[in-house]
Amino acid sequence: QGKQYLSIKVENTYDGKLTTDKNGNILSSKKDKKNHGIGIHNIKEIVNKYDGRYEVETKEDTYCVTVFLKLS
């Protein structure tokens, strides 16, 4: 569309099993849910707020989230 984007890629390891809620949101497997698992939720809010997009890619023991935000 002729617009430039900022791309941010974040990788993290995991045990090979992603758990999701009924809306498809990725949930933390850590016991302390109050202080963990908010990163993906925050990313989704920012992407929606700024009309961007994100992709989640999983491998054996790594998941990767790539965010694309339009530059003004």
Side-chain angles (χ1 to χ4, degrees):
Q1 294 177 337
K3 297 185 181 184
Q4 293 186 359
Y5 286 82
L6 169 66
S7 172
I8 302 169
K9 184 175 184 177
V10 179
E11 288 189 43
N12 203 353
T13 58
Y14 74 117
D15 63 6
K17 300 175 193 170
L18 285 181
T19 305
T20 58
D21 65 12
K22 64 182 178 181
N23 297 319
N25 299 312
I26 299 171
L27 302 174
S28 176
S29 61
K30 295 181 179 172
K31 291 181 182 180
D32 184 8
K33 304 279 189 234
K34 182 179 179 185
N35 294 310
H36 296 282
I38 59 173
I40 296 290
H41 176 73
N42 288 342
I43 288 170
K44 289 175 77 172
E45 282 188 359
I46 291 168
V47 165
N48 289 332
K49 180 177 180 178
Y50 293 103
D51 196 28
R53 67 183 178 92
Y54 74 99
E55 299 172 353
V56 178
E57 178 185 357
T58 58
K59 299 178 184 173
E60 265 186 45
D61 60 352
T62 306
Y63 71 92
C64 175
V65 177
T66 306
V67 176
F68 302 93
L69 298 172
K70 292 179 186 176
L71 297 175
S72 301

